[in-house]
Amino acid sequence: MAAIRLDKLLAQSGERSRSDAAKLVRAGCVTVDGQPVRDPAAKADAELSRVLLNGQAVTDEAYRYYLFHKPAGVLTAARDRSAQTVMDLVPPALAKRDVLPVGRLDKDTTGLLLLTNDGELAHRLLSPKRHVWKEYLVAVDGPLTTQDVEAFACGMELSDFTAKPAELTVLSTAPDGAQAVVRLAEGKFHQVKRMFAARGRNVLTLHRQAFGPLKLDVPEGTHRPLTEEEIAALHLAAQG
Ligand code: URA
């Protein structure tokens, strides 16, 4: 990559307009090889120089990876005519770079969604041949028993497929409801809700707190870029 203006580099690499990028440079948030640079027109090559924005490395790599905290009531889709989608809640620059959600959470499900434009990785993460663990916090409308834990562990016959063994950990249980953590390596349509339905329970709330090596750690409706370590761990998980 050739040297380009700092405001252009920041706009390309992040989720901000060129004018916002220029403001950040003027505000002294950017260093090039350890030196603060306040001129948005100053040029740098992100491959040859270490460009930092508020201490975070700025790169112009083609692939982007973000962890997003999906709120309830939002569709996991790129666009929808009437309903709000997860892509409406992130800066338009991400959609321009073809960043999309990996897999789906139901409209009423909250929690961790991976967003990326690395289609190859997304495909591998979703492939039934890999075993990428997803972890959900679930509230159901009745008690959960050791028989339920065993039924999840054995793999469950559903109407159109047999769910692979899953881990059910009961956190609290009472006659009128229970809370549990479910870990499963599949991601079929409505799978968690269908597994509980097969045990006679309705899911009241469903929240994904982990996806492979990623743990949810941002407030609802917000996102952050993955760290280098997380991206490497995801690639590793996608091989499994
Ligand atoms: N299982 C479901 O039933 N719904 C989701 O959104 C995710 C997993």
Side-chain angles (χ1 to χ4, degrees):
M1 198 186 95
I4 57 169
R5 289 172 57 114
L6 277 180
D7 54 359
K8 189 171 179 200
L9 175 66
L10 255 61
Q12 274 181 10
S13 70
E15 313 146 25
R16 57 192 74 81
S17 65
R18 186 100 168 238
S19 62
D20 284 345
K23 276 186 211 152
L24 288 168
V25 181
R26 278 192 217 99
C29 303
V30 174
T31 58
V32 178
D33 293 328
Q35 298 301 315
V37 179
R38 286 174 180 264
D39 177 6
K43 290 188 173 177
D45 181 334
E47 274 174 20
L48 300 178
S49 306
R50 189 155 168 73
V51 182
L52 300 182
L53 168 63
N54 292 323
Q56 297 269 333
V58 175
T59 60
D60 194 36
E61 280 152 18
Y63 290 136
R64 317 273 145 176
Y65 307 87
Y66 300 91
L67 183 153
F68 176 70
H69 188 159
K70 179 192 171 298
V74 174
L75 287 185
T76 309
R79 288 275 161 263
D80 191 83
R81 275 205 201 132
S82 47
Q84 194 177 39
T85 73
V86 295
M87 295 311 291
D88 293 326
L89 296 181
V90 296
L94 268 62
K96 267 200 215 143
R97 293 193 155 243
D98 298 325
V99 169
L100 289 169
V102 177
R104 270 180 51 113
L105 291 177
D106 296 337
K107 192 173 178 189
D108 57 353
T109 301
T110 58
L112 197 163
L113 255 186
L114 170 66
L115 308 178
T116 185
N117 56 358
D118 184 344
E120 170 72 29
L121 177 74
H123 180 74
R124 279 188 283 123
L125 288 169
L126 295 177
S127 160
K129 286 191 216 127
R130 326 280 163 187
H131 299 285
V132 179
W133 286 94
K134 290 117 194 151
E135 187 178 288
Y136 297 88
L137 186 62
V138 193
V140 295
D141 63 350
L144 291 173
T145 62
T146 48
Q147 283 79 24
D148 295 315
V149 174
E150 280 159 18
F152 272 70
C154 289
M156 222 179 258
E157 284 291 333
L158 299 176
S159 60
D160 53 345
F161 76 105
T162 307
K164 293 207 179 84
E167 292 172 26
L168 173 64
T169 308
V170 180
L171 301 177
S172 65
T173 182
D176 60 346
Q179 275 222 328
V181 171
V182 178
R183 271 168 54 81
L184 70 171
E186 296 176 298
K188 299 253 169 46
F189 188 56
H190 291 332
Q191 184 160 346
V192 174
K193 289 174 186 167
R194 292 181 62 196
M195 290 173 84
F196 279 104
R199 301 297 305 164
R201 296 284 165 261
N202 288 313
V203 168
L204 302 176
T205 59
L206 185 57
H207 175 78
R208 184 153 76 188
Q209 49 193 18
F211 178 79
L214 307 179
K215 305 261 179 287
L216 187 62
D217 59 0
V218 294
E220 204 168 79
T222 68
H223 67 289
R224 67 165 173 83
L226 297 191
T227 63
E228 292 298 319
E229 292 75 24
E230 287 172 326
I231 295 167
L234 265 185
H235 278 94
L236 205 63
Q239 287 167 17

mmCIF file with all atom_site columns, all heavy atoms in Angstrom, residues 196-218:
data_model
loop_
_atom_site.group_PDB
_atom_site.id
_atom_site.type_symbol
_atom_site.label_atom_id
_atom_site.label_alt_id
_atom_site.label_comp_id
_atom_site.label_asym_id
_atom_site.label_entity_id
_atom_site.label_seq_id
_atom_site.pdbx_PDB_ins_code
_atom_site.Cartn_x
_atom_site.Cartn_y
_atom_site.Cartn_z
_atom_site.occupancy
_atom_site.B_iso_or_equiv
_atom_site.pdbx_formal_charge
_atom_site.auth_seq_id
_atom_site.auth_comp_id
_atom_site.auth_asym_id
_atom_site.auth_atom_id
_atom_site.pdbx_PDB_model_num
ATOM 1   N N   . PHE A 1 196 ? -35.847 -26.885 23.975 1.00 0.00 ? 196 PHE A N   1
ATOM 2   C CA  . PHE A 1 196 ? -36.624 -26.718 25.225 1.00 0.00 ? 196 PHE A CA  1
ATOM 3   C C   . PHE A 1 196 ? -38.086 -27.091 25.006 1.00 0.00 ? 196 PHE A C   1
ATOM 4   O O   . PHE A 1 196 ? -38.712 -27.699 25.882 1.00 0.00 ? 196 PHE A O   1
ATOM 5   C CB  . PHE A 1 196 ? -36.494 -25.290 25.763 1.00 0.00 ? 196 PHE A CB  1
ATOM 6   C CG  . PHE A 1 196 ? -35.216 -25.086 26.533 1.00 0.00 ? 196 PHE A CG  1
ATOM 7   C CD1 . PHE A 1 196 ? -34.161 -24.403 25.979 1.00 0.00 ? 196 PHE A CD1 1
ATOM 8   C CD2 . PHE A 1 196 ? -35.067 -25.615 27.816 1.00 0.00 ? 196 PHE A CD2 1
ATOM 9   C CE1 . PHE A 1 196 ? -32.968 -24.232 26.670 1.00 0.00 ? 196 PHE A CE1 1
ATOM 10  C CE2 . PHE A 1 196 ? -33.881 -25.448 28.522 1.00 0.00 ? 196 PHE A CE2 1
ATOM 11  C CZ  . PHE A 1 196 ? -32.826 -24.759 27.941 1.00 0.00 ? 196 PHE A CZ  1
ATOM 12  N N   . ALA A 1 197 ? -38.620 -26.739 23.822 1.00 0.00 ? 197 ALA A N   1
ATOM 13  C CA  . ALA A 1 197 ? -40.017 -27.105 23.539 1.00 0.00 ? 197 ALA A CA  1
ATOM 14  C C   . ALA A 1 197 ? -40.181 -28.621 23.608 1.00 0.00 ? 197 ALA A C   1
ATOM 15  O O   . ALA A 1 197 ? -41.197 -29.130 24.109 1.00 0.00 ? 197 ALA A O   1
ATOM 16  C CB  . ALA A 1 197 ? -40.422 -26.568 22.168 1.00 0.00 ? 197 ALA A CB  1
ATOM 17  N N   . ALA A 1 198 ? -39.152 -29.350 23.130 1.00 0.00 ? 198 ALA A N   1
ATOM 18  C CA  . ALA A 1 198 ? -39.213 -30.818 23.167 1.00 0.00 ? 198 ALA A CA  1
ATOM 19  C C   . ALA A 1 198 ? -39.243 -31.331 24.612 1.00 0.00 ? 198 ALA A C   1
ATOM 20  O O   . ALA A 1 198 ? -39.658 -32.462 24.868 1.00 0.00 ? 198 ALA A O   1
ATOM 21  C CB  . ALA A 1 198 ? -38.011 -31.402 22.424 1.00 0.00 ? 198 ALA A CB  1
ATOM 22  N N   . ARG A 1 199 ? -38.799 -30.502 25.555 1.00 0.00 ? 199 ARG A N   1
ATOM 23  C CA  . ARG A 1 199 ? -38.838 -30.862 26.984 1.00 0.00 ? 199 ARG A CA  1
ATOM 24  C C   . ARG A 1 199 ? -40.034 -30.197 27.672 1.00 0.00 ? 199 ARG A C   1
ATOM 25  O O   . ARG A 1 199 ? -40.099 -30.132 28.915 1.00 0.00 ? 199 ARG A O   1
ATOM 26  C CB  . ARG A 1 199 ? -37.537 -30.429 27.689 1.00 0.00 ? 199 ARG A CB  1
ATOM 27  C CG  . ARG A 1 199 ? -36.270 -31.018 27.123 1.00 0.00 ? 199 ARG A CG  1
ATOM 28  C CD  . ARG A 1 199 ? -36.180 -32.514 27.233 1.00 0.00 ? 199 ARG A CD  1
ATOM 29  N NE  . ARG A 1 199 ? -36.361 -32.975 28.624 1.00 0.00 ? 199 ARG A NE  1
ATOM 30  C CZ  . ARG A 1 199 ? -36.633 -34.234 28.963 1.00 0.00 ? 199 ARG A CZ  1
ATOM 31  N NH1 . ARG A 1 199 ? -36.776 -35.162 28.033 1.00 0.00 ? 199 ARG A NH1 1
ATOM 32  N NH2 . ARG A 1 199 ? -36.773 -34.566 30.236 1.00 0.00 ? 199 ARG A NH2 1
ATOM 33  N N   . GLY A 1 200 ? -40.937 -29.635 26.900 1.00 0.00 ? 200 GLY A N   1
ATOM 34  C CA  . GLY A 1 200 ? -42.160 -29.051 27.465 1.00 0.00 ? 200 GLY A CA  1
ATOM 35  C C   . GLY A 1 200 ? -41.979 -27.664 28.064 1.00 0.00 ? 200 GLY A C   1
ATOM 36  O O   . GLY A 1 200 ? -42.794 -27.227 28.889 1.00 0.00 ? 200 GLY A O   1
ATOM 37  N N   . ARG A 1 201 ? -40.938 -26.967 27.674 1.00 0.00 ? 201 ARG A N   1
ATOM 38  C CA  . ARG A 1 201 ? -40.683 -25.628 28.228 1.00 0.00 ? 201 ARG A CA  1
ATOM 39  C C   . ARG A 1 201 ? -40.673 -24.590 27.112 1.00 0.00 ? 201 ARG A C   1
ATOM 40  O O   . ARG A 1 201 ? -40.150 -24.840 26.026 1.00 0.00 ? 201 ARG A O   1
ATOM 41  C CB  . ARG A 1 201 ? -39.307 -25.575 28.929 1.00 0.00 ? 201 ARG A CB  1
ATOM 42  C CG  . ARG A 1 201 ? -39.185 -26.460 30.140 1.00 0.00 ? 201 ARG A CG  1
ATOM 43  C CD  . ARG A 1 201 ? -39.912 -25.847 31.336 1.00 0.00 ? 201 ARG A CD  1
ATOM 44  N NE  . ARG A 1 201 ? -40.097 -26.840 32.370 1.00 0.00 ? 201 ARG A NE  1
ATOM 45  C CZ  . ARG A 1 201 ? -41.225 -27.515 32.563 1.00 0.00 ? 201 ARG A CZ  1
ATOM 46  N NH1 . ARG A 1 201 ? -42.293 -27.289 31.817 1.00 0.00 ? 201 ARG A NH1 1
ATOM 47  N NH2 . ARG A 1 201 ? -41.317 -28.404 33.529 1.00 0.00 ? 201 ARG A NH2 1
ATOM 48  N N   . ASN A 1 202 ? -41.213 -23.420 27.436 1.00 0.00 ? 202 ASN A N   1
ATOM 49  C CA  . ASN A 1 202 ? -41.106 -22.286 26.511 1.00 0.00 ? 202 ASN A CA  1
ATOM 50  C C   . ASN A 1 202 ? -39.934 -21.418 26.932 1.00 0.00 ? 202 ASN A C   1
ATOM 51  O O   . ASN A 1 202 ? -39.762 -21.150 28.135 1.00 0.00 ? 202 ASN A O   1
ATOM 52  C CB  . ASN A 1 202 ? -42.366 -21.422 26.562 1.00 0.00 ? 202 ASN A CB  1
ATOM 53  C CG  . ASN A 1 202 ? -43.522 -22.121 25.903 1.00 0.00 ? 202 ASN A CG  1
ATOM 54  O OD1 . ASN A 1 202 ? -43.377 -22.658 24.802 1.00 0.00 ? 202 ASN A OD1 1
ATOM 55  N ND2 . ASN A 1 202 ? -44.652 -22.158 26.583 1.00 0.00 ? 202 ASN A ND2 1
ATOM 56  N N   . VAL A 1 203 ? -39.187 -20.970 25.950 1.00 0.00 ? 203 VAL A N   1
ATOM 57  C CA  . VAL A 1 203 ? -38.085 -20.045 26.238 1.00 0.00 ? 203 VAL A CA  1
ATOM 58  C C   . VAL A 1 203 ? -38.676 -18.644 26.390 1.00 0.00 ? 203 VAL A C   1
ATOM 59  O O   . VAL A 1 203 ? -39.395 -18.159 25.518 1.00 0.00 ? 203 VAL A O   1
ATOM 60  C CB  . VAL A 1 203 ? -37.034 -20.089 25.102 1.00 0.00 ? 203 VAL A CB  1
ATOM 61  C CG1 . VAL A 1 203 ? -36.041 -18.948 25.224 1.00 0.00 ? 203 VAL A CG1 1
ATOM 62  C CG2 . VAL A 1 203 ? -36.300 -21.429 25.116 1.00 0.00 ? 203 VAL A CG2 1
ATOM 63  N N   . LEU A 1 204 ? -38.372 -18.000 27.521 1.00 0.00 ? 204 LEU A N   1
ATOM 64  C CA  . LEU A 1 204 ? -38.871 -16.638 27.763 1.00 0.00 ? 204 LEU A CA  1
ATOM 65  C C   . LEU A 1 204 ? -37.863 -15.603 27.260 1.00 0.00 ? 204 LEU A C   1
ATOM 66  O O   . LEU A 1 204 ? -38.239 -14.627 26.624 1.00 0.00 ? 204 LEU A O   1
ATOM 67  C CB  . LEU A 1 204 ? -39.131 -16.432 29.256 1.00 0.00 ? 204 LEU A CB  1
ATOM 68  C CG  . LEU A 1 204 ? -40.123 -17.410 29.895 1.00 0.00 ? 204 LEU A CG  1
ATOM 69  C CD1 . LEU A 1 204 ? -40.223 -17.168 31.390 1.00 0.00 ? 204 LEU A CD1 1
ATOM 70  C CD2 . LEU A 1 204 ? -41.495 -17.279 29.226 1.00 0.00 ? 204 LEU A CD2 1
ATOM 71  N N   . THR A 1 205 ? -36.597 -15.843 27.578 1.00 0.00 ? 205 THR A N   1
ATOM 72  C CA  . THR A 1 205 ? -35.545 -14.965 27.042 1.00 0.00 ? 205 THR A CA  1
ATOM 73  C C   . THR A 1 205 ? -34.342 -15.826 26.658 1.00 0.00 ? 205 THR A C   1
ATOM 74  O O   . THR A 1 205 ? -34.054 -16.840 27.303 1.00 0.00 ? 205 THR A O   1
ATOM 75  C CB  . THR A 1 205 ? -35.063 -13.896 28.061 1.00 0.00 ? 205 THR A CB  1
ATOM 76  O OG1 . THR A 1 205 ? -34.566 -14.548 29.226 1.00 0.00 ? 205 THR A OG1 1
ATOM 77  C CG2 . THR A 1 205 ? -36.164 -12.920 28.432 1.00 0.00 ? 205 THR A CG2 1
ATOM 78  N N   . LEU A 1 206 ? -33.677 -15.373 25.600 1.00 0.00 ? 206 LEU A N   1
ATOM 79  C CA  . LEU A 1 206 ? -32.516 -16.114 25.086 1.00 0.00 ? 206 LEU A CA  1
ATOM 80  C C   . LEU A 1 206 ? -31.427 -15.101 24.760 1.00 0.00 ? 206 LEU A C   1
ATOM 81  O O   . LEU A 1 206 ? -31.683 -14.126 24.047 1.00 0.00 ? 206 LEU A O   1
ATOM 82  C CB  . LEU A 1 206 ? -32.938 -16.875 23.830 1.00 0.00 ? 206 LEU A CB  1
ATOM 83  C CG  . LEU A 1 206 ? -31.926 -17.811 23.184 1.00 0.00 ? 206 LEU A CG  1
ATOM 84  C CD1 . LEU A 1 206 ? -31.441 -18.863 24.178 1.00 0.00 ? 206 LEU A CD1 1
ATOM 85  C CD2 . LEU A 1 206 ? -32.559 -18.516 21.982 1.00 0.00 ? 206 LEU A CD2 1
ATOM 86  N N   . HIS A 1 207 ? -30.245 -15.351 25.300 1.00 0.00 ? 207 HIS A N   1
ATOM 87  C CA  . HIS A 1 207 ? -29.153 -14.382 25.163 1.00 0.00 ? 207 HIS A CA  1
ATOM 88  C C   . HIS A 1 207 ? -27.873 -15.144 24.841 1.00 0.00 ? 207 HIS A C   1
ATOM 89  O O   . HIS A 1 207 ? -27.465 -16.015 25.612 1.00 0.00 ? 207 HIS A O   1
ATOM 90  C CB  . HIS A 1 207 ? -29.011 -13.629 26.503 1.00 0.00 ? 207 HIS A CB  1
ATOM 91  C CG  . HIS A 1 207 ? -27.855 -12.696 26.550 1.00 0.00 ? 207 HIS A CG  1
ATOM 92  N ND1 . HIS A 1 207 ? -27.870 -11.456 25.944 1.00 0.00 ? 207 HIS A ND1 1
ATOM 93  C CD2 . HIS A 1 207 ? -26.635 -12.813 27.137 1.00 0.00 ? 207 HIS A CD2 1
ATOM 94  C CE1 . HIS A 1 207 ? -26.712 -10.861 26.165 1.00 0.00 ? 207 HIS A CE1 1
ATOM 95  N NE2 . HIS A 1 207 ? -25.946 -11.655 26.877 1.00 0.00 ? 207 HIS A NE2 1
ATOM 96  N N   . ARG A 1 208 ? -27.234 -14.812 23.708 1.00 0.00 ? 208 ARG A N   1
ATOM 97  C CA  . ARG A 1 208 ? -25.972 -15.508 23.382 1.00 0.00 ? 208 ARG A CA  1
ATOM 98  C C   . ARG A 1 208 ? -24.810 -14.760 24.023 1.00 0.00 ? 208 ARG A C   1
ATOM 99  O O   . ARG A 1 208 ? -24.589 -13.592 23.739 1.00 0.00 ? 208 ARG A O   1
ATOM 100 C CB  . ARG A 1 208 ? -25.780 -15.598 21.871 1.00 0.00 ? 208 ARG A CB  1
ATOM 101 C CG  . ARG A 1 208 ? -24.535 -16.409 21.534 1.00 0.00 ? 208 ARG A CG  1
ATOM 102 C CD  . ARG A 1 208 ? -24.629 -17.071 20.207 1.00 0.00 ? 208 ARG A CD  1
ATOM 103 N NE  . ARG A 1 208 ? -24.427 -16.134 19.136 1.00 0.00 ? 208 ARG A NE  1
ATOM 104 C CZ  . ARG A 1 208 ? -24.609 -16.428 17.846 1.00 0.00 ? 208 ARG A CZ  1
ATOM 105 N NH1 . ARG A 1 208 ? -25.012 -17.628 17.492 1.00 0.00 ? 208 ARG A NH1 1
ATOM 106 N NH2 . ARG A 1 208 ? -24.400 -15.522 16.924 1.00 0.00 ? 208 ARG A NH2 1
ATOM 107 N N   . GLN A 1 209 ? -24.092 -15.468 24.898 1.00 0.00 ? 209 GLN A N   1
ATOM 108 C CA  . GLN A 1 209 ? -22.998 -14.786 25.594 1.00 0.00 ? 209 GLN A CA  1
ATOM 109 C C   . GLN A 1 209 ? -21.616 -15.175 25.075 1.00 0.00 ? 209 GLN A C   1
ATOM 110 O O   . GLN A 1 209 ? -20.633 -14.523 25.412 1.00 0.00 ? 209 GLN A O   1
ATOM 111 C CB  . GLN A 1 209 ? -23.085 -14.985 27.107 1.00 0.00 ? 209 GLN A CB  1
ATOM 112 C CG  . GLN A 1 209 ? -23.284 -16.402 27.575 1.00 0.00 ? 209 GLN A CG  1
ATOM 113 C CD  . GLN A 1 209 ? -23.683 -16.470 29.042 1.00 0.00 ? 209 GLN A CD  1
ATOM 114 O OE1 . GLN A 1 209 ? -24.128 -15.490 29.627 1.00 0.00 ? 209 GLN A OE1 1
ATOM 115 N NE2 . GLN A 1 209 ? -23.500 -17.625 29.647 1.00 0.00 ? 209 GLN A NE2 1
ATOM 116 N N   . ALA A 1 210 ? -21.537 -16.216 24.255 1.00 0.00 ? 210 ALA A N   1
ATOM 117 C CA  . ALA A 1 210 ? -20.235 -16.579 23.678 1.00 0.00 ? 210 ALA A CA  1
ATOM 118 C C   . ALA A 1 210 ? -20.448 -17.248 22.330 1.00 0.00 ? 210 ALA A C   1
ATOM 119 O O   . ALA A 1 210 ? -21.462 -17.910 22.096 1.00 0.00 ? 210 ALA A O   1
ATOM 120 C CB  . ALA A 1 210 ? -19.469 -17.506 24.609 1.00 0.00 ? 210 ALA A CB  1
ATOM 121 N N   . PHE A 1 211 ? -19.486 -17.050 21.446 1.00 0.00 ? 211 PHE A N   1
ATOM 122 C CA  . PHE A 1 211 ? -19.498 -17.676 20.121 1.00 0.00 ? 211 PHE A CA  1
ATOM 123 C C   . PHE A 1 211 ? -18.062 -18.111 19.865 1.00 0.00 ? 211 PHE A C   1
ATOM 124 O O   . PHE A 1 211 ? -17.172 -17.267 19.704 1.00 0.00 ? 211 PHE A O   1
ATOM 125 C CB  . PHE A 1 211 ? -19.954 -16.654 19.079 1.00 0.00 ? 211 PHE A CB  1
ATOM 126 C CG  . PHE A 1 211 ? -19.962 -17.165 17.662 1.00 0.00 ? 211 PHE A CG  1
ATOM 127 C CD1 . PHE A 1 211 ? -21.003 -17.971 17.203 1.00 0.00 ? 211 PHE A CD1 1
ATOM 128 C CD2 . PHE A 1 211 ? -18.935 -16.857 16.781 1.00 0.00 ? 211 PHE A CD2 1
ATOM 129 C CE1 . PHE A 1 211 ? -21.011 -18.447 15.889 1.00 0.00 ? 211 PHE A CE1 1
ATOM 130 C CE2 . PHE A 1 211 ? -18.941 -17.323 15.477 1.00 0.00 ? 211 PHE A CE2 1
ATOM 131 C CZ  . PHE A 1 211 ? -19.989 -18.125 15.038 1.00 0.00 ? 211 PHE A CZ  1
ATOM 132 N N   . GLY A 1 212 ? -17.821 -19.427 19.873 1.00 0.00 ? 212 GLY A N   1
ATOM 133 C CA  . GLY A 1 212 ? -16.442 -19.908 19.763 1.00 0.00 ? 212 GLY A CA  1
ATOM 134 C C   . GLY A 1 212 ? -15.595 -19.227 20.822 1.00 0.00 ? 212 GLY A C   1
ATOM 135 O O   . GLY A 1 212 ? -15.993 -19.170 21.991 1.00 0.00 ? 212 GLY A O   1
ATOM 136 N N   . PRO A 1 213 ? -14.469 -18.647 20.434 1.00 0.00 ? 213 PRO A N   1
ATOM 137 C CA  . PRO A 1 213 ? -13.586 -18.028 21.431 1.00 0.00 ? 213 PRO A CA  1
ATOM 138 C C   . PRO A 1 213 ? -14.036 -16.625 21.861 1.00 0.00 ? 213 PRO A C   1
ATOM 139 O O   . PRO A 1 213 ? -13.410 -16.029 22.739 1.00 0.00 ? 213 PRO A O   1
ATOM 140 C CB  . PRO A 1 213 ? -12.251 -17.939 20.692 1.00 0.00 ? 213 PRO A CB  1
ATOM 141 C CG  . PRO A 1 213 ? -12.622 -17.857 19.245 1.00 0.00 ? 213 PRO A CG  1
ATOM 142 C CD  . PRO A 1 213 ? -13.896 -18.623 19.072 1.00 0.00 ? 213 PRO A CD  1
ATOM 143 N N   . LEU A 1 214 ? -15.105 -16.101 21.258 1.00 0.00 ? 214 LEU A N   1
ATOM 144 C CA  . LEU A 1 214 ? -15.507 -14.713 21.556 1.00 0.00 ? 214 LEU A CA  1
ATOM 145 C C   . LEU A 1 214 ? -16.469 -14.646 22.725 1.00 0.00 ? 214 LEU A C   1
ATOM 146 O O   . LEU A 1 214 ? -17.419 -15.433 22.796 1.00 0.00 ? 214 LEU A O   1
ATOM 147 C CB  . LEU A 1 214 ? -16.185 -14.081 20.336 1.00 0.00 ? 214 LEU A CB  1
ATOM 148 C CG  . LEU A 1 214 ? -15.429 -14.134 19.017 1.00 0.00 ? 214 LEU A CG  1
ATOM 149 C CD1 . LEU A 1 214 ? -16.262 -13.487 17.918 1.00 0.00 ? 214 LEU A CD1 1
ATOM 150 C CD2 . LEU A 1 214 ? -14.079 -13.444 19.150 1.00 0.00 ? 214 LEU A CD2 1
ATOM 151 N N   . LYS A 1 215 ? -16.217 -13.704 23.628 1.00 0.00 ? 215 LYS A N   1
ATOM 152 C CA  . LYS A 1 215 ? -17.121 -13.497 24.776 1.00 0.00 ? 215 LYS A CA  1
ATOM 153 C C   . LYS A 1 215 ? -17.723 -12.098 24.647 1.00 0.00 ? 215 LYS A C   1
ATOM 154 O O   . LYS A 1 215 ? -17.007 -11.144 24.353 1.00 0.00 ? 215 LYS A O   1
ATOM 155 C CB  . LYS A 1 215 ? -16.337 -13.536 26.096 1.00 0.00 ? 215 LYS A CB  1
ATOM 156 C CG  . LYS A 1 215 ? -15.518 -14.795 26.284 1.00 0.00 ? 215 LYS A CG  1
ATOM 157 C CD  . LYS A 1 215 ? -16.236 -15.789 27.177 1.00 0.00 ? 215 LYS A CD  1
ATOM 158 C CE  . LYS A 1 215 ? -15.443 -17.072 27.363 1.00 0.00 ? 215 LYS A CE  1
ATOM 159 N NZ  . LYS A 1 215 ? -15.424 -17.959 26.167 1.00 0.00 ? 215 LYS A NZ  1
ATOM 160 N N   . LEU A 1 216 ? -19.010 -12.002 24.931 1.00 0.00 ? 216 LEU A N   1
ATOM 161 C CA  . LEU A 1 216 ? -19.694 -10.711 24.791 1.00 0.00 ? 216 LEU A CA  1
ATOM 162 C C   . LEU A 1 216 ? -19.247 -9.762  25.899 1.00 0.00 ? 216 LEU A C   1
ATOM 163 O O   . LEU A 1 216 ? -19.351 -10.088 27.079 1.00 0.00 ? 216 LEU A O   1
ATOM 164 C CB  . LEU A 1 216 ? -21.206 -10.929 24.864 1.00 0.00 ? 216 LEU A CB  1
ATOM 165 C CG  . LEU A 1 216 ? -22.050 -9.706  24.557 1.00 0.00 ? 216 LEU A CG  1
ATOM 166 C CD1 . LEU A 1 216 ? -21.816 -9.207  23.140 1.00 0.00 ? 216 LEU A CD1 1
ATOM 167 C CD2 . LEU A 1 216 ? -23.525 -10.018 24.750 1.00 0.00 ? 216 LEU A CD2 1
ATOM 168 N N   . ASP A 1 217 ? -18.765 -8.591  25.508 1.00 0.00 ? 217 ASP A N   1
ATOM 169 C CA  . ASP A 1 217 ? -18.270 -7.656  26.528 1.00 0.00 ? 217 ASP A CA  1
ATOM 170 C C   . ASP A 1 217 ? -18.535 -6.203  26.154 1.00 0.00 ? 217 ASP A C   1
ATOM 171 O O   . ASP A 1 217 ? -17.821 -5.313  26.598 1.00 0.00 ? 217 ASP A O   1
ATOM 172 C CB  . ASP A 1 217 ? -16.760 -7.878  26.766 1.00 0.00 ? 217 ASP A CB  1
ATOM 173 C CG  . ASP A 1 217 ? -15.947 -7.687  25.494 1.00 0.00 ? 217 ASP A CG  1
ATOM 174 O OD1 . ASP A 1 217 ? -16.532 -7.381  24.445 1.00 0.00 ? 217 ASP A OD1 1
ATOM 175 O OD2 . ASP A 1 217 ? -14.715 -7.835  25.549 1.00 0.00 ? 217 ASP A OD2 1
ATOM 176 N N   . VAL A 1 218 ? -19.533 -5.984  25.286 1.00 0.00 ? 218 VAL A N   1
ATOM 177 C CA  . VAL A 1 218 ? -19.869 -4.587  24.956 1.00 0.00 ? 218 VAL A CA  1
ATOM 178 C C   . VAL A 1 218 ? -21.344 -4.362  25.276 1.00 0.00 ? 218 VAL A C   1
ATOM 179 O O   . VAL A 1 218 ? -22.138 -5.306  25.260 1.00 0.00 ? 218 VAL A O   1
ATOM 180 C CB  . VAL A 1 218 ? -19.582 -4.247  23.462 1.00 0.00 ? 218 VAL A CB  1
ATOM 181 C CG1 . VAL A 1 218 ? -18.098 -4.295  23.159 1.00 0.00 ? 218 VAL A CG1 1
ATOM 182 C CG2 . VAL A 1 218 ? -20.370 -5.161  22.519 1.00 0.00 ? 218 VAL A CG2 1
#
